[in-house]
mmCIF file of all heavy atoms in Angstrom:
data_model
loop_
_atom_site.group_PDB
_atom_site.id
_atom_site.type_symbol
_atom_site.label_atom_id
_atom_site.label_comp_id
_atom_site.label_asym_id
_atom_site.label_seq_id
_atom_site.Cartn_x
_atom_site.Cartn_y
_atom_site.Cartn_z
ATOM 1 N N ILE A 25 12.716 1.216 -4.590
ATOM 2 C CA ILE A 25 12.291 1.689 -3.272
ATOM 3 C C ILE A 25 11.078 2.593 -3.456
ATOM 4 O O ILE A 25 11.063 3.459 -4.340
ATOM 5 C CB ILE A 25 13.415 2.469 -2.562
ATOM 6 C CG1 ILE A 25 14.576 1.545 -2.203
ATOM 7 C CG2 ILE A 25 12.884 3.158 -1.307
ATOM 8 C CD1 ILE A 25 15.774 2.273 -1.608
ATOM 9 N N LEU A 26 10.057 2.405 -2.620
ATOM 10 C CA LEU A 26 8.890 3.283 -2.578
ATOM 11 C C LEU A 26 8.774 3.861 -1.181
ATOM 12 O O LEU A 26 8.875 3.134 -0.186
ATOM 13 C CB LEU A 26 7.610 2.521 -2.918
ATOM 14 C CG LEU A 26 7.453 2.031 -4.361
ATOM 15 C CD1 LEU A 26 6.281 1.062 -4.457
ATOM 16 C CD2 LEU A 26 7.246 3.203 -5.305
ATOM 17 N N ILE A 27 8.553 5.173 -1.087
ATOM 18 C CA ILE A 27 8.385 5.831 0.208
ATOM 19 C C ILE A 27 7.188 6.767 0.109
ATOM 20 O O ILE A 27 7.212 7.738 -0.659
ATOM 21 C CB ILE A 27 9.647 6.623 0.611
ATOM 22 C CG1 ILE A 27 10.854 5.686 0.709
ATOM 23 C CG2 ILE A 27 9.413 7.336 1.944
ATOM 24 C CD1 ILE A 27 12.171 6.402 1.020
ATOM 25 N N PHE A 28 6.135 6.462 0.873
ATOM 26 C CA PHE A 28 4.908 7.258 0.844
ATOM 27 C C PHE A 28 4.484 7.634 2.259
ATOM 28 O O PHE A 28 4.487 6.791 3.161
ATOM 29 C CB PHE A 28 3.759 6.475 0.197
ATOM 30 C CG PHE A 28 3.997 6.091 -1.244
ATOM 31 C CD1 PHE A 28 3.630 4.841 -1.702
ATOM 32 C CD2 PHE A 28 4.566 6.985 -2.130
ATOM 33 C CE1 PHE A 28 3.832 4.477 -3.028
ATOM 34 C CE2 PHE A 28 4.780 6.637 -3.455
ATOM 35 C CZ PHE A 28 4.416 5.383 -3.900
ATOM 36 N N ASP A 29 4.082 8.883 2.432
ATOM 37 C CA ASP A 29 3.587 9.366 3.730
ATOM 38 C C ASP A 29 2.061 9.403 3.711
ATOM 39 O O ASP A 29 1.460 10.192 2.986
ATOM 40 C CB ASP A 29 4.150 10.766 4.013
ATOM 41 C CG ASP A 29 3.904 11.201 5.450
ATOM 42 O OD1 ASP A 29 3.578 10.341 6.293
ATOM 43 O OD2 ASP A 29 4.037 12.405 5.727
ATOM 44 N N GLU A 30 1.453 8.517 4.486
ATOM 45 C CA GLU A 30 -0.005 8.403 4.603
ATOM 46 C C GLU A 30 -0.684 8.408 3.226
ATOM 47 O O GLU A 30 -1.541 9.242 2.923
ATOM 48 C CB GLU A 30 -0.563 9.521 5.494
ATOM 49 C CG GLU A 30 -0.017 9.459 6.910
ATOM 50 C CD GLU A 30 -0.780 10.334 7.902
ATOM 51 O OE1 GLU A 30 -1.842 10.860 7.531
ATOM 52 O OE2 GLU A 30 -0.315 10.483 9.038
ATOM 53 N N PRO A 31 -0.301 7.464 2.370
ATOM 54 C CA PRO A 31 -0.804 7.478 0.992
ATOM 55 C C PRO A 31 -2.289 7.189 0.845
ATOM 56 O O PRO A 31 -2.888 7.550 -0.170
ATOM 57 C CB PRO A 31 0.025 6.381 0.314
ATOM 58 C CG PRO A 31 0.386 5.446 1.431
ATOM 59 C CD PRO A 31 0.612 6.339 2.614
ATOM 60 N N PHE A 32 -2.902 6.536 1.839
ATOM 61 C CA PHE A 32 -4.312 6.172 1.715
ATOM 62 C C PHE A 32 -5.261 7.272 2.178
ATOM 63 O O PHE A 32 -6.450 7.225 1.877
ATOM 64 C CB PHE A 32 -4.590 4.887 2.509
ATOM 65 C CG PHE A 32 -3.862 3.693 1.970
ATOM 66 C CD1 PHE A 32 -2.677 3.268 2.541
ATOM 67 C CD2 PHE A 32 -4.354 2.997 0.875
ATOM 68 C CE1 PHE A 32 -1.994 2.174 2.038
ATOM 69 C CE2 PHE A 32 -3.680 1.902 0.360
ATOM 70 C CZ PHE A 32 -2.492 1.486 0.948
ATOM 71 N N GLU A 33 -4.751 8.255 2.910
ATOM 72 C CA GLU A 33 -5.596 9.336 3.408
ATOM 73 C C GLU A 33 -6.143 10.154 2.240
ATOM 74 O O GLU A 33 -5.397 10.607 1.383
ATOM 75 C CB GLU A 33 -4.802 10.261 4.345
ATOM 76 C CG GLU A 33 -4.397 9.623 5.657
ATOM 77 C CD GLU A 33 -5.590 9.326 6.547
ATOM 78 O OE1 GLU A 33 -6.456 10.206 6.717
ATOM 79 O OE2 GLU A 33 -5.665 8.196 7.068
ATOM 80 N N GLY A 34 -7.443 10.336 2.197
ATOM 81 C CA GLY A 34 -8.066 11.177 1.180
ATOM 82 C C GLY A 34 -8.369 10.479 -0.125
ATOM 83 O O GLY A 34 -8.922 11.098 -1.041
ATOM 84 N N LEU A 35 -8.010 9.189 -0.243
ATOM 85 C CA LEU A 35 -8.324 8.443 -1.461
ATOM 86 C C LEU A 35 -9.700 7.800 -1.362
ATOM 87 O O LEU A 35 -10.117 7.367 -0.287
ATOM 88 C CB LEU A 35 -7.283 7.346 -1.713
ATOM 89 C CG LEU A 35 -5.842 7.771 -2.008
ATOM 90 C CD1 LEU A 35 -5.033 6.549 -2.426
ATOM 91 C CD2 LEU A 35 -5.767 8.844 -3.068
ATOM 92 N N ASP A 36 -10.395 7.720 -2.502
ATOM 93 C CA ASP A 36 -11.669 7.009 -2.511
ATOM 94 C C ASP A 36 -11.393 5.507 -2.540
ATOM 95 O O ASP A 36 -10.242 5.063 -2.606
ATOM 96 C CB ASP A 36 -12.532 7.440 -3.704
ATOM 97 C CG ASP A 36 -11.808 7.297 -5.043
ATOM 98 O OD1 ASP A 36 -10.952 6.394 -5.165
ATOM 99 O OD2 ASP A 36 -12.088 8.092 -5.953
ATOM 100 N N GLU A 37 -12.458 4.699 -2.475
ATOM 101 C CA GLU A 37 -12.298 3.249 -2.369
ATOM 102 C C GLU A 37 -11.568 2.667 -3.576
ATOM 103 O O GLU A 37 -10.705 1.790 -3.433
ATOM 104 C CB GLU A 37 -13.672 2.579 -2.213
ATOM 105 C CG GLU A 37 -13.592 1.105 -1.830
ATOM 106 C CD GLU A 37 -12.817 0.861 -0.541
ATOM 107 O OE1 GLU A 37 -12.976 1.635 0.419
ATOM 108 O OE2 GLU A 37 -12.030 -0.115 -0.515
ATOM 109 N N ILE A 38 -11.890 3.162 -4.769
ATOM 110 C CA ILE A 38 -11.210 2.671 -5.970
ATOM 111 C C ILE A 38 -9.723 3.020 -5.915
ATOM 112 O O ILE A 38 -8.862 2.193 -6.222
ATOM 113 C CB ILE A 38 -11.856 3.260 -7.245
ATOM 114 C CG1 ILE A 38 -13.267 2.701 -7.427
ATOM 115 C CG2 ILE A 38 -11.003 2.950 -8.473
ATOM 116 C CD1 ILE A 38 -14.031 3.309 -8.589
ATOM 117 N N GLY A 39 -9.432 4.246 -5.505
ATOM 118 C CA GLY A 39 -8.044 4.683 -5.413
ATOM 119 C C GLY A 39 -7.254 3.885 -4.396
ATOM 120 O O GLY A 39 -6.090 3.520 -4.634
ATOM 121 N N ARG A 40 -7.885 3.585 -3.258
ATOM 122 C CA ARG A 40 -7.209 2.802 -2.211
ATOM 123 C C ARG A 40 -6.941 1.377 -2.682
ATOM 124 O O ARG A 40 -5.843 0.831 -2.497
ATOM 125 C CB ARG A 40 -8.056 2.790 -0.940
ATOM 126 C CG ARG A 40 -8.113 4.132 -0.228
ATOM 127 C CD ARG A 40 -9.299 4.201 0.728
ATOM 128 N NE ARG A 40 -9.184 3.269 1.820
ATOM 129 C CZ ARG A 40 -8.687 3.561 3.014
ATOM 130 N NH1 ARG A 40 -8.222 4.782 3.241
ATOM 131 N NH2 ARG A 40 -8.643 2.673 3.969
ATOM 132 N N SER A 41 -7.951 0.774 -3.307
ATOM 133 C CA SER A 41 -7.813 -0.614 -3.767
ATOM 134 C C SER A 41 -6.729 -0.732 -4.840
ATOM 135 O O SER A 41 -5.939 -1.688 -4.837
ATOM 136 C CB SER A 41 -9.151 -1.117 -4.330
ATOM 137 O OG SER A 41 -10.142 -1.138 -3.323
ATOM 138 N N PHE A 42 -6.680 0.253 -5.728
ATOM 139 C CA PHE A 42 -5.676 0.201 -6.797
ATOM 140 C C PHE A 42 -4.275 0.406 -6.235
ATOM 141 O O PHE A 42 -3.318 -0.233 -6.689
ATOM 142 C CB PHE A 42 -5.989 1.245 -7.864
ATOM 143 C CG PHE A 42 -5.062 1.189 -9.039
ATOM 144 C CD1 PHE A 42 -4.908 0.020 -9.771
ATOM 145 C CD2 PHE A 42 -4.318 2.295 -9.415
ATOM 146 C CE1 PHE A 42 -4.043 -0.045 -10.858
ATOM 147 C CE2 PHE A 42 -3.460 2.245 -10.500
ATOM 148 C CZ PHE A 42 -3.321 1.067 -11.217
ATOM 149 N N LEU A 43 -4.146 1.268 -5.233
ATOM 150 C CA LEU A 43 -2.830 1.475 -4.617
ATOM 151 C C LEU A 43 -2.354 0.198 -3.932
ATOM 152 O O LEU A 43 -1.171 -0.166 -4.034
ATOM 153 C CB LEU A 43 -2.886 2.630 -3.622
ATOM 154 C CG LEU A 43 -1.595 2.897 -2.830
ATOM 155 C CD1 LEU A 43 -0.398 3.086 -3.756
ATOM 156 C CD2 LEU A 43 -1.770 4.117 -1.931
ATOM 157 N N ILE A 44 -3.250 -0.495 -3.250
ATOM 158 C CA ILE A 44 -2.873 -1.771 -2.619
ATOM 159 C C ILE A 44 -2.400 -2.755 -3.681
ATOM 160 O O ILE A 44 -1.417 -3.485 -3.494
ATOM 161 C CB ILE A 44 -4.061 -2.339 -1.817
ATOM 162 C CG1 ILE A 44 -4.321 -1.472 -0.578
ATOM 163 C CG2 ILE A 44 -3.788 -3.785 -1.393
ATOM 164 C CD1 ILE A 44 -5.570 -1.835 0.195
ATOM 165 N N LYS A 45 -3.096 -2.770 -4.818
ATOM 166 C CA LYS A 45 -2.701 -3.653 -5.925
ATOM 167 C C LYS A 45 -1.304 -3.297 -6.428
ATOM 168 O O LYS A 45 -0.460 -4.177 -6.640
ATOM 169 C CB LYS A 45 -3.713 -3.534 -7.058
ATOM 170 C CG LYS A 45 -3.398 -4.384 -8.293
ATOM 171 C CD LYS A 45 -4.487 -4.221 -9.343
ATOM 172 C CE LYS A 45 -4.201 -5.074 -10.590
ATOM 173 N NZ LYS A 45 -2.997 -4.644 -11.299
ATOM 174 N N LEU A 46 -1.037 -2.000 -6.611
ATOM 175 C CA LEU A 46 0.280 -1.571 -7.090
ATOM 176 C C LEU A 46 1.378 -1.939 -6.097
ATOM 177 O O LEU A 46 2.461 -2.381 -6.487
ATOM 178 C CB LEU A 46 0.291 -0.057 -7.329
ATOM 179 C CG LEU A 46 -0.496 0.472 -8.539
ATOM 180 C CD1 LEU A 46 -0.497 1.996 -8.540
ATOM 181 C CD2 LEU A 46 0.095 -0.062 -9.842
ATOM 182 N N LEU A 47 1.103 -1.751 -4.812
ATOM 183 C CA LEU A 47 2.090 -2.090 -3.786
ATOM 184 C C LEU A 47 2.404 -3.578 -3.783
ATOM 185 O O LEU A 47 3.524 -3.995 -3.479
ATOM 186 C CB LEU A 47 1.603 -1.656 -2.407
ATOM 187 C CG LEU A 47 1.604 -0.158 -2.113
ATOM 188 C CD1 LEU A 47 0.852 0.138 -0.818
ATOM 189 C CD2 LEU A 47 3.026 0.389 -2.026
ATOM 190 N N GLY A 48 1.403 -4.386 -4.124
ATOM 191 C CA GLY A 48 1.584 -5.831 -4.112
ATOM 192 C C GLY A 48 2.321 -6.370 -5.320
ATOM 193 O O GLY A 48 2.831 -7.498 -5.297
ATOM 194 N N GLU A 49 2.396 -5.574 -6.395
ATOM 195 C CA GLU A 49 3.092 -6.013 -7.594
ATOM 196 C C GLU A 49 4.612 -5.952 -7.395
ATOM 197 O O GLU A 49 5.132 -5.021 -6.808
ATOM 198 C CB GLU A 49 2.695 -5.141 -8.794
ATOM 199 C CG GLU A 49 1.244 -5.312 -9.222
ATOM 200 C CD GLU A 49 0.876 -4.395 -10.375
ATOM 201 O OE1 GLU A 49 1.687 -3.517 -10.737
ATOM 202 O OE2 GLU A 49 -0.252 -4.535 -10.899
ATOM 203 N N LYS A 50 5.307 -6.949 -7.895
ATOM 204 C CA LYS A 50 6.779 -6.997 -7.840
ATOM 205 C C LYS A 50 7.312 -6.788 -6.426
ATOM 206 O O LYS A 50 8.378 -6.212 -6.227
ATOM 207 C CB LYS A 50 7.391 -5.944 -8.775
ATOM 208 C CG LYS A 50 7.002 -6.119 -10.234
ATOM 209 C CD LYS A 50 7.703 -5.115 -11.126
ATOM 210 C CE LYS A 50 7.316 -5.308 -12.576
ATOM 211 N NZ LYS A 50 7.985 -4.345 -13.472
ATOM 212 N N ILE A 51 6.561 -7.263 -5.447
ATOM 213 C CA ILE A 51 6.921 -6.995 -4.053
ATOM 214 C C ILE A 51 8.278 -7.597 -3.698
ATOM 215 O O ILE A 51 9.032 -7.047 -2.883
ATOM 216 C CB ILE A 51 5.813 -7.508 -3.108
ATOM 217 C CG1 ILE A 51 6.033 -6.965 -1.695
ATOM 218 C CG2 ILE A 51 5.729 -9.015 -3.093
ATOM 219 C CD1 ILE A 51 4.846 -7.188 -0.789
ATOM 220 N N ARG A 52 8.634 -8.709 -4.326
ATOM 221 C CA ARG A 52 9.915 -9.356 -4.007
ATOM 222 C C ARG A 52 11.109 -8.577 -4.552
ATOM 223 O O ARG A 52 12.244 -8.796 -4.138
ATOM 224 C CB ARG A 52 9.929 -10.781 -4.558
ATOM 225 C CG ARG A 52 9.127 -11.762 -3.718
ATOM 226 C CD ARG A 52 9.156 -13.150 -4.285
ATOM 227 N NE ARG A 52 8.342 -13.264 -5.492
ATOM 228 C CZ ARG A 52 8.137 -14.412 -6.130
ATOM 229 N NH1 ARG A 52 8.704 -15.522 -5.689
ATOM 230 N NH2 ARG A 52 7.379 -14.451 -7.202
ATOM 231 N N ASP A 53 10.827 -7.669 -5.488
ATOM 232 C CA ASP A 53 11.913 -6.929 -6.131
ATOM 233 C C ASP A 53 12.118 -5.531 -5.570
ATOM 234 O O ASP A 53 13.004 -4.809 -6.027
ATOM 235 C CB ASP A 53 11.644 -6.807 -7.640
ATOM 236 C CG ASP A 53 11.566 -8.170 -8.310
ATOM 237 O OD1 ASP A 53 12.310 -9.071 -7.897
ATOM 238 O OD2 ASP A 53 10.740 -8.325 -9.231
ATOM 239 N N ARG A 54 11.296 -5.149 -4.599
ATOM 240 C CA ARG A 54 11.414 -3.780 -4.107
ATOM 241 C C ARG A 54 11.158 -3.698 -2.604
ATOM 242 O O ARG A 54 10.692 -4.649 -1.974
ATOM 243 C CB ARG A 54 10.463 -2.843 -4.852
ATOM 244 C CG ARG A 54 9.009 -3.121 -4.657
ATOM 245 C CD ARG A 54 8.124 -1.958 -5.134
ATOM 246 N NE ARG A 54 8.358 -1.550 -6.486
ATOM 247 C CZ ARG A 54 7.455 -1.582 -7.468
ATOM 248 N NH1 ARG A 54 6.234 -2.037 -7.211
ATOM 249 N NH2 ARG A 54 7.742 -1.160 -8.683
ATOM 250 N N LEU A 55 11.467 -2.552 -2.070
ATOM 251 C CA LEU A 55 11.220 -2.228 -0.666
ATOM 252 C C LEU A 55 10.233 -1.070 -0.628
ATOM 253 O O LEU A 55 10.391 -0.087 -1.357
ATOM 254 C CB LEU A 55 12.539 -1.817 -0.004
ATOM 255 C CG LEU A 55 12.489 -0.846 1.183
ATOM 256 C CD1 LEU A 55 11.841 -1.514 2.376
ATOM 257 C CD2 LEU A 55 13.885 -0.368 1.538
ATOM 258 N N SER A 56 9.204 -1.197 0.189
ATOM 259 C CA SER A 56 8.217 -0.126 0.326
ATOM 260 C C SER A 56 8.104 0.295 1.789
ATOM 261 O O SER A 56 8.046 -0.548 2.687
ATOM 262 C CB SER A 56 6.838 -0.581 -0.166
ATOM 263 O OG SER A 56 6.882 -0.974 -1.515
ATOM 264 N N ILE A 57 8.092 1.606 2.015
ATOM 265 C CA ILE A 57 7.865 2.152 3.359
ATOM 266 C C ILE A 57 6.686 3.099 3.268
ATOM 267 O O ILE A 57 6.708 4.056 2.494
ATOM 268 C CB ILE A 57 9.095 2.909 3.883
ATOM 269 C CG1 ILE A 57 10.337 2.026 3.861
ATOM 270 C CG2 ILE A 57 8.837 3.416 5.296
ATOM 271 C CD1 ILE A 57 11.621 2.759 4.238
ATOM 272 N N ILE A 58 5.643 2.822 4.032
ATOM 273 C CA ILE A 58 4.484 3.709 4.068
ATOM 274 C C ILE A 58 4.153 4.024 5.517
ATOM 275 O O ILE A 58 4.430 3.235 6.424
ATOM 276 C CB ILE A 58 3.259 3.095 3.367
ATOM 277 C CG1 ILE A 58 2.772 1.837 4.118
ATOM 278 C CG2 ILE A 58 3.560 2.752 1.916
ATOM 279 C CD1 ILE A 58 1.448 1.300 3.610
ATOM 280 N N THR A 59 3.564 5.186 5.733
ATOM 281 C CA THR A 59 3.059 5.518 7.059
ATOM 282 C C THR A 59 1.540 5.561 6.995
ATOM 283 O O THR A 59 0.947 5.846 5.954
ATOM 284 C CB THR A 59 3.575 6.882 7.550
ATOM 285 O OG1 THR A 59 3.057 7.915 6.704
ATOM 286 C CG2 THR A 59 5.088 6.929 7.550
ATOM 287 N N VAL A 60 0.908 5.234 8.112
ATOM 288 C CA VAL A 60 -0.553 5.293 8.194
ATOM 289 C C VAL A 60 -0.950 5.911 9.519
ATOM 290 O O VAL A 60 -0.304 5.684 10.552
ATOM 291 C CB VAL A 60 -1.206 3.905 8.041
ATOM 292 C CG1 VAL A 60 -0.930 3.319 6.660
ATOM 293 C CG2 VAL A 60 -0.735 2.943 9.120
ATOM 294 N N HIS A 61 -2.001 6.717 9.460
ATOM 295 C CA HIS A 61 -2.560 7.289 10.687
ATOM 296 C C HIS A 61 -3.729 6.431 11.157
ATOM 297 O O HIS A 61 -3.874 6.130 12.325
ATOM 298 C CB HIS A 61 -3.022 8.723 10.436
ATOM 299 C CG HIS A 61 -3.573 9.418 11.641
ATOM 300 N ND1 HIS A 61 -2.841 9.553 12.804
ATOM 301 C CD2 HIS A 61 -4.773 10.001 11.880
ATOM 302 C CE1 HIS A 61 -3.575 10.202 13.708
ATOM 303 N NE2 HIS A 61 -4.744 10.465 13.176
ATOM 304 N N HIS A 62 -4.579 6.037 10.202
ATOM 305 C CA HIS A 62 -5.683 5.113 10.479
ATOM 306 C C HIS A 62 -5.312 3.743 9.930
ATOM 307 O O HIS A 62 -4.597 3.624 8.945
ATOM 308 C CB HIS A 62 -6.981 5.618 9.842
ATOM 309 C CG HIS A 62 -7.376 6.984 10.306
ATOM 310 N ND1 HIS A 62 -7.814 7.241 11.584
ATOM 311 C CD2 HIS A 62 -7.371 8.180 9.667
ATOM 312 C CE1 HIS A 62 -8.078 8.525 11.717
ATOM 313 N NE2 HIS A 62 -7.809 9.126 10.565
ATOM 314 N N GLU A 63 -5.842 2.705 10.553
ATOM 315 C CA GLU A 63 -5.498 1.338 10.169
ATOM 316 C C GLU A 63 -5.907 1.042 8.728
ATOM 317 O O GLU A 63 -7.008 1.368 8.296
ATOM 318 C CB GLU A 63 -6.174 0.339 11.119
ATOM 319 C CG GLU A 63 -5.805 -1.111 10.853
ATOM 320 C CD GLU A 63 -4.301 -1.344 10.924
ATOM 321 O OE1 GLU A 63 -3.661 -0.904 11.898
ATOM 322 O OE2 GLU A 63 -3.757 -1.949 9.988
ATOM 323 N N VAL A 64 -5.012 0.427 7.996
ATOM 324 C CA VAL A 64 -5.265 -0.003 6.622
ATOM 325 C C VAL A 64 -4.894 -1.480 6.534
ATOM 326 O O VAL A 64 -3.782 -1.865 6.890
ATOM 327 C CB VAL A 64 -4.429 0.816 5.610
ATOM 328 C CG1 VAL A 64 -4.646 0.275 4.203
ATOM 329 C CG2 VAL A 64 -4.785 2.284 5.673
ATOM 330 N N ASP A 65 -5.825 -2.298 6.067
ATOM 331 C CA ASP A 65 -5.587 -3.743 5.983
ATOM 332 C C ASP A 65 -4.921 -4.087 4.659
ATOM 333 O O ASP A 65 -5.527 -3.980 3.601
ATOM 334 C CB ASP A 65 -6.906 -4.503 6.127
ATOM 335 C CG ASP A 65 -6.700 -6.012 6.115
ATOM 336 O OD1 ASP A 65 -5.537 -6.453 6.306
ATOM 337 O OD2 ASP A 65 -7.682 -6.744 5.910
ATOM 338 N N LEU A 66 -3.670 -4.484 4.725
ATOM 339 C CA LEU A 66 -2.945 -4.911 3.532
ATOM 340 C C LEU A 66 -2.811 -6.422 3.456
ATOM 341 O O LEU A 66 -2.480 -6.977 2.418
ATOM 342 C CB LEU A 66 -1.539 -4.299 3.519
ATOM 343 C CG LEU A 66 -1.422 -2.775 3.523
ATOM 344 C CD1 LEU A 66 0.047 -2.372 3.596
ATOM 345 C CD2 LEU A 66 -2.076 -2.167 2.296
ATOM 346 N N LYS A 67 -3.087 -7.097 4.551
ATOM 347 C CA LYS A 67 -2.774 -8.521 4.654
ATOM 348 C C LYS A 67 -3.565 -9.374 3.682
ATOM 349 O O LYS A 67 -3.087 -10.414 3.228
ATOM 350 C CB LYS A 67 -3.004 -9.001 6.090
ATOM 351 C CG LYS A 67 -2.022 -8.393 7.081
ATOM 352 C CD LYS A 67 -2.267 -8.891 8.492
ATOM 353 C CE LYS A 67 -1.255 -8.277 9.468
ATOM 354 N NZ LYS A 67 -1.497 -8.700 10.860
ATOM 355 N N GLY A 68 -4.779 -8.947 3.332
ATOM 356 C CA GLY A 68 -5.588 -9.737 2.414
ATOM 357 C C GLY A 68 -5.006 -9.823 1.025
ATOM 358 O O GLY A 68 -5.325 -10.736 0.263
ATOM 359 N N SER A 69 -4.121 -8.868 0.682
ATOM 360 C CA SER A 69 -3.555 -8.829 -0.662
ATOM 361 C C SER A 69 -2.093 -9.273 -0.707
ATOM 362 O O SER A 69 -1.525 -9.382 -1.787
ATOM 363 C CB SER A 69 -3.657 -7.395 -1.223
ATOM 364 O OG SER A 69 -4.979 -6.943 -1.214
ATOM 365 N N MET A 70 -1.492 -9.515 0.441
ATOM 366 C CA MET A 70 -0.070 -9.860 0.489
ATOM 367 C C MET A 70 0.126 -11.236 1.136
ATOM 368 O O MET A 70 -0.743 -11.736 1.844
ATOM 369 C CB MET A 70 0.703 -8.808 1.298
ATOM 370 C CG MET A 70 0.327 -7.372 1.007
ATOM 371 S SD MET A 70 0.767 -6.806 -0.633
ATOM 372 C CE MET A 70 -0.021 -5.176 -0.663
ATOM 373 N N LYS A 71 1.294 -11.797 0.911
ATOM 374 C CA LYS A 71 1.611 -13.083 1.512
ATOM 375 C C LYS A 71 2.151 -12.892 2.926
ATOM 376 O O LYS A 71 2.610 -11.822 3.284
ATOM 377 C CB LYS A 71 2.655 -13.816 0.655
ATOM 378 C CG LYS A 71 2.159 -14.197 -0.730
ATOM 379 C CD LYS A 71 3.270 -14.879 -1.513
ATOM 380 C CE LYS A 71 2.800 -15.231 -2.922
ATOM 381 N NZ LYS A 71 3.892 -15.836 -3.729
ATOM 382 N N GLU A 72 2.100 -13.972 3.671
ATOM 383 C CA GLU A 72 2.621 -13.943 5.042
ATOM 384 C C GLU A 72 4.090 -13.540 5.034
ATOM 385 O O GLU A 72 4.891 -14.046 4.249
ATOM 386 C CB GLU A 72 2.492 -15.348 5.650
ATOM 387 C CG GLU A 72 3.052 -15.428 7.023
ATOM 388 C CD GLU A 72 1.979 -15.644 8.082
ATOM 389 O OE1 GLU A 72 0.847 -15.997 7.775
ATOM 390 O OE2 GLU A 72 2.323 -15.434 9.219
#
């Protein structure tokens, strides 16, 4: 289980991209809950 509160706020582009990559790894084996204040596009890195 991963639980993050607004994890993308304050990260630079490299940091944001790497976090999206980490979230996408082993996605079938875990549950992730994140909150966002501003829109963050995750769909390009994840399956439908």
